[in-house]
Amino acid sequence: MDGRIEAGFRIQIRRLVAWTRHADVEGEVERLVERARLLTQAEGLGLPRALTRVYTELREQAARPAGAAAADERPPAAGWRPPWHRFDAAHPPRFLCDPSTAGLGRWLRAAGYEAAADASIPGHRLPEEALARGLALLTTEAEVLERRIVANGSLAVAWVPSALTMREQLALVMGDLALGLREPRCMVCGGALVAREKEAVRARIPPRTALWKDEYYVCSGCDRLFWQGTHWERIAPALAAAARGA
Ligand SMILES: [Zn+2]
């Protein structure tokens, strides 16, 4: 598994290094992968976490003005560009989750992003489906990064190594796409949550909850009733940490 994760990071690192117009792309990729290997020994990290750290540092450097300025000298031709360049607060990404990222998709909904999952679509068809629907593909499959529609910049892919925890994956995706926290969406179906008067939904509120909660929301997609209870008190700090890249 580590071999496939390293292959995925090599693709991600190579694209970012090339985007910053580094003079020796292949040499820099080898140097960074070697640095990750040294980290595994120096800090006892597994290779996926060491590569994640090296990649994240590279991404943060590339996103700084100096790195971005070098890349801006390129002609504005179509082609691969970093994921954080593709979206902004007015045009947030909407995700299509492959089956391996269904749980991560729930967290992204809690962070306020649409994240669809459709088990009826065969795995090999997901990239084309995402492209056709204007969605970013969320996946743990490194092979997807090699697809032509990804290499040429047509399809945005948020790739996360399967060896990371869900929270680590969430921090990686939110950093890659520079996502801030938005209004939470329904974690079950992704629908928008609409505030409702307590009295209007009182019949559906568990009696003990009604004693201490006054704000309620109904999902516009699945009609579930929500309130920010003890469950949310665990989720909210994790979302805030992921948005900070922690
Ligand atoms: Zn819902």
Side-chain angles (χ1 to χ4, degrees):
M1 186 176 66
D2 279 8
R4 286 169 60 193
I5 289 172
E6 179 179 332
F9 271 118
R10 280 179 174 273
I11 295 170
Q12 296 279 75
I13 290 171
R14 183 176 292 110
R15 285 181 181 149
L16 256 188
V17 169
W19 181 77
T20 59
R21 298 172 65 87
H22 197 284
D24 175 14
V25 173
E26 294 308 318
E28 182 67 358
V29 172
E30 293 308 320
R31 190 187 72 76
L32 290 168
V33 172
E34 183 56 26
R35 188 171 129 59
R37 289 197 194 289
L38 292 174
L39 274 176
T40 65
Q41 294 160 14
E43 302 196 20
L45 293 176
L47 187 61
R49 280 201 178 81
L51 285 164
T52 300
R53 188 190 298 180
V54 167
Y55 166 75
T56 302
E57 288 169 2
L58 170 68
R59 182 188 69 204
E60 286 169 2
Q61 277 170 18
R64 282 193 203 117
D72 284 345
E73 292 167 19
R74 292 165 161 252
W80 186 90
R81 65 211 140 108
W84 69 85
H85 264 235
R86 304 179 71 112
F87 306 99
D88 57 42
H91 307 91
R94 294 177 303 132
F95 295 96
L96 180 63
C97 304
D98 81 7
S100 67
T101 61
L104 180 58
R106 291 171 60 88
W107 279 91
L108 283 165
R109 291 176 194 142
Y113 294 89
E114 291 181 56
D118 186 342
S120 71
I121 306 169
H124 69 279
R125 287 284 314 154
L126 283 169
E128 285 75 17
E129 183 73 17
L131 182 63
R133 290 164 61 180
L135 305 176
L137 183 61
L138 190 64
T139 184
T140 59
E141 303 290 337
E143 291 79 3
V144 172
L145 296 170
E146 297 171 6
R147 292 280 192 104
R148 192 158 50 91
I149 54 175
V150 180
N152 69 16
S154 303
L155 174 65
V157 169
W159 172 73
V160 289
S162 54
L164 300 186
T165 66
M166 195 94 71
R167 290 184 186 198
E168 288 169 330
Q169 291 179 346
L170 184 66
L172 184 61
V173 171
M174 293 190 78
D176 265 357
L177 282 75
L179 304 182
L181 295 181
R182 302 169 69 88
E183 288 296 318
R185 303 182 76 89
C186 173
M187 287 180 77
V188 179
C189 81
L193 300 182
V194 182
R196 295 289 297 273
E197 291 291 336
K198 185 176 185 178
E199 288 313 312
V201 292
R202 181 173 282 279
R204 299 171 62 187
I205 307 171
R208 288 176 59 178
T209 302
L211 291 176
W212 67 284
K213 262 310 196 199
D214 291 325
E215 286 91 39
Y216 295 88
Y217 307 86
V218 170
C219 173
S220 59
C222 68
D223 199 44
R224 280 182 174 79
L225 180 70
F226 289 91
W227 59 92
Q228 295 189 338
T230 49
H231 178 56
W232 186 254
E233 285 165 14
R234 286 195 300 274
I235 294 172
L239 291 176
R244 286 196 309 272

